[in-house]
Amino acid sequence: MTETVPTGPPPQHAAQYAASQITAADGRVEISPGAYPENSPFANDDLRPVPLAERKWTTYNFAALWISMAHCIPSWTLASGLVALGMDWKQAVFTIALANIIVLLPMLATGHAGPKYGIPFPVLARASFGVRGANIPALIRAGVACGWFGIQTWIGGSGIFALGSKLTGGEWEKAGQIAGNPWPLWLCFILFWALQIAIIYRGMDFLRHFENWAAPFVIAGAFVLLIWIAVKADGFGHLLDQPSKLGWGADFWPVFFPSLMGMIGFWSTLSLNIPDFTRFGAGQRAQIWGQSLGLPTTMTLFAVLAVLVTSGSEAVYGEAIWDPVTLAAKADNVFGLLFALITVLVATISVNIAANVVSPAYDLANLAPKLINFRTGALITGVIGVLIFPWKLISTPEFYIFTWLGVVGGLLGTVAGILIADYWIVRRTVLHLADLYKSEGRYWYASGFNWRAIVAFAIGGVLAVGGSYSTVDAQGVKQGPFPVDGLIPFLKPLADYGWAIGLASALVLYVMLMAGRGRERADV
């Protein structure tokens, strides 16, 4: 089939496109009734544009969403993991703050399409990858989310087990083992998994209310942990005087750059699928201010709390305890243990559902809209999240930050580069909603695939992660699954900058390929 034009409609079809969607005074757009067939194989109730009347999320809703997502156990382990890698608290906070300022920019860029058109991430990706081709970035994003869901669920289940074991005098740890772990740990993991699936089945509006009250509760819990460790350390002085093992010289920068990319990679997932949330926004101001106030500020604050507490643990216990669950389990007070348990549960549930279930639910629905709805997609996510063995992904700080986050960030940065290039540079934020759900529209390209986006993704992805390598510890043991010299040795120097390399290379290449195609006949 002849490929379709990436810019405005041909004159003979201008009236048709104008009638297919309605533009409000503030620039937001909703699709006209009957603009595409109700039985379209590329649509269901979850993927259709949100009507203007249902776009209600305010600045507070978006800020609360980010506060509750940022204040989670993996966010904590990011900061404390940097301390465990040898940074002092100032270096760790600087690295995390810079990373979140950087990742906010693509977050706002891709988030713009949400309030304007009311569409989720996989539908937005149809404009660049094609109606069928959008399944490529959607499934990659879904796979990453499944991995994160598994990690978060394992952390939550481990938290219940560790604190419950403390309450029972260590009896749980003495229980019979299954696959190398006590059976109560597996039970906690399964129960926590089921609780999250039950909550997501209540829908997005319930999620909004849950995030609104979870955010302040988790902040309070983090401050309680800080005060507790400060008392144990006889004041805040010991929390601030732990020296850097790296300095600011030659030992620091080889750790800083891959750590920075890892920190960016942490939220590079949301920089793709943030339209899944902003599509419910009351306007651009709500999503811009809500995200700007919610993400970099709260992540930096939480980083400060995490590194101070981790530094305090080093002063009190002689080692940097980067896992807050392990640290909280050292409390000798039943009330303290229960409070820590509830805080861990609320923090983990709030981020896991919002960041790691909503997205793949939409992404999997995009794969087969008539067979998979939002709830079915959530259940599939939960099953895959168990099958990827999440306890392996978070086994060490090196594996967690350099391998998992580094590779994920590189691939997702590549997709983000293509989305931003298409939406802002090629189309100048102009989309035709009906064609995103049709097989004969401008986003059909060749049999539903835009090979230019696929080529840009493939090349950008190889540049971003092709040089992925594993480090070697002091005992000569390899830390990670990759060769020490890198998968593709001559690309190893790029591996520490994977997210930036992937985003920039894919963006430039996609723009060049689209500019070279000329104005072709619109097959509509």
Side-chain angles (χ1 to χ4, degrees):
M1 179 180 288
T2 303
E3 296 188 5
T4 58
V5 179
T7 52
Q12 68 269 29
H13 297 292
Q16 171 190 338
Y17 282 110
S20 69
Q21 54 194 43
I22 303 167
T23 303
D26 60 1
R28 292 185 299 159
V29 178
E30 70 177 345
I31 198 165
S32 301
Y36 63 87
E38 285 297 317
N39 61 351
S40 168
F42 305 108
N44 62 22
D45 289 339
D46 298 312
L47 296 177
R48 289 187 175 92
V50 176
L52 285 174
E54 297 177 18
R55 301 179 202 175
K56 300 177 180 179
W57 286 35
T58 64
T59 297
Y60 176 77
N61 294 139
F62 286 112
L65 175 73
W66 273 114
I67 291 170
S68 59
M69 287 200 298
H71 294 165
C72 63
I73 306 306
S75 292
W76 185 284
T77 56
L78 282 180
S80 56
L82 293 179
V83 174
L85 289 172
M87 292 187 184
D88 64 17
W89 73 273
K90 296 184 292 294
Q91 293 170 330
V93 170
F94 168 72
T95 303
I96 291 172
L98 179 60
N100 283 281
I101 291 172
I102 292 173
V103 81
L104 176 65
L105 300 178
M107 198 83 67
L108 296 176
T110 54
H112 184 277
K116 184 170 183 178
Y117 295 103
I119 54 176
F121 155 67
V123 175
L124 173 63
R126 294 176 181 179
S128 52
F129 282 83
V131 174
R132 285 176 172 165
N135 284 315
I136 297 173
L139 289 178
I140 291 172
R141 174 63 184 94
V144 171
C146 290
W148 272 121
F149 178 82
I151 288 174
Q152 294 269 23
T153 304
W154 181 256
I155 288 173
S158 298
I160 298 173
F161 172 78
L163 300 177
S165 182
K166 183 78 173 183
L167 290 172
T168 58
E171 289 300 317
W172 281 9
E173 296 180 5
K174 302 174 185 177
Q177 295 202 346
I178 300 176
N181 291 298
W183 68 262
L185 174 56
W186 294 110
L187 179 61
C188 292
F189 177 60
I190 293 171
L191 290 176
F192 192 63
W193 178 92
L195 175 62
Q196 294 173 100
I197 296 298
I199 291 176
I200 197 62
Y201 259 62
R202 297 291 300 275
M204 287 293 291
D205 199 51
F206 180 81
L207 174 63
R208 176 170 63 92
H209 292 298
F210 180 83
E211 301 292 350
N212 285 346
W213 72 262
F217 181 85
V218 175
I219 294 175
F223 274 104
V224 168
L225 188 58
L226 175 64
I227 294 170
W228 171 70
I229 199 66
V231 171
K232 301 272 293 182
D234 296 324
F236 288 94
H238 291 296
L239 278 61
L240 301 173
D241 64 6
Q242 299 298 317
S244 170
K245 297 180 177 66
L246 304 173
W248 288 94
D251 292 334
F252 173 71
W253 301 110
V255 175
F256 169 75
F257 284 110
S259 296
L260 180 68
M261 291 300 108
M263 300 305 104
I264 292 172
F266 187 76
W267 289 124
S268 64
T269 52
L270 268 293
S271 70
L272 290 186
N273 74 283
I274 194 65
D276 293 342
F277 300 95
T278 60
R279 67 192 295 229
F280 298 99
Q284 294 297 342
R285 183 184 297 272
Q287 75 101 2
I288 291 173
W289 280 105
Q291 293 203 79
S292 299
L293 294 173
L295 173 57
T297 55
T298 54
M299 276 296 289
T300 302
L301 171 63
F302 208 54
V304 171
L305 294 174
V307 297
L308 289 179
V309 171
T310 304
S311 295
S313 71
E314 191 166 18
V316 174
Y317 299 106
E319 62 174 332
I321 302 175
W322 74 303
D323 184 350
V325 174
T326 302
L327 182 60
K330 292 183 175 293
D332 51 9
N333 178 299
V334 173
F335 174 79
L337 286 169
L338 291 175
F339 181 79
L341 173 61
I342 294 172
T343 302
V344 167
L345 290 178
V346 172
T348 306
I349 290 173
S350 64
V351 68
N352 213 18
I353 292 176
N356 304 318
V357 178
V358 172
S359 172
Y362 285 128
D363 297 337
L364 293 168
N366 187 71
L367 181 65
K370 296 306 179 185
L371 299 176
I372 304 174
N373 59 21
F374 182 80
R375 289 180 170 84
T376 306
L379 182 59
I380 295 173
T381 299
V383 172
I384 296 176
V386 174
L387 298 178
I388 52 90
F389 301 148
W391 45 92
K392 299 289 186 182
L393 297 178
I394 198 171
S395 56
T396 67
E398 291 84 1
F399 194 98
Y400 176 48
I401 293 176
F402 296 156
T403 302
W404 169 247
L405 292 180
V407 172
V408 163
L411 290 176
L412 298 184
T414 303
V415 176
I418 294 171
L419 294 187
I420 293 170
D422 183 79
Y423 183 70
W424 286 96
I425 300 175
V426 174
R427 305 187 190 281
R428 308 295 174 88
T429 75
V430 176
L431 297 175
H432 297 282
L433 288 175
D435 280 5
L436 292 169
Y437 301 90
K438 297 193 299 187
S439 60
E440 69 275 13
R442 66 183 50 236
Y443 309 118
W444 188 245
Y445 297 99
S447 300
F449 295 87
N450 182 7
W451 67 264
R452 295 165 181 83
I454 297 172
V455 168
F457 170 74
I459 295 176
V462 170
L463 292 175
V465 305
S468 297
Y469 63 94
S470 297
T471 57
V472 177
D473 63 17
Q475 288 73 42
V477 178
K478 188 175 71 169
Q479 300 293 309
F482 303 119
V484 174
D485 293 332
L487 288 171
I488 305 176
F490 75 89
L491 292 179
K492 182 178 178 180
L494 302 181
D496 290 347
Y497 314 94
W499 180 84
I501 294 293
L503 187 145
S505 60
L507 186 150
V508 172
L509 183 57
Y510 181 79
V511 171
M512 292 173 59
L513 290 172
M514 293 297 283
R517 69 194 300 234
R519 289 190 60 83
E520 302 168 10
R521 181 178 65 86
D523 188 14
V524 294

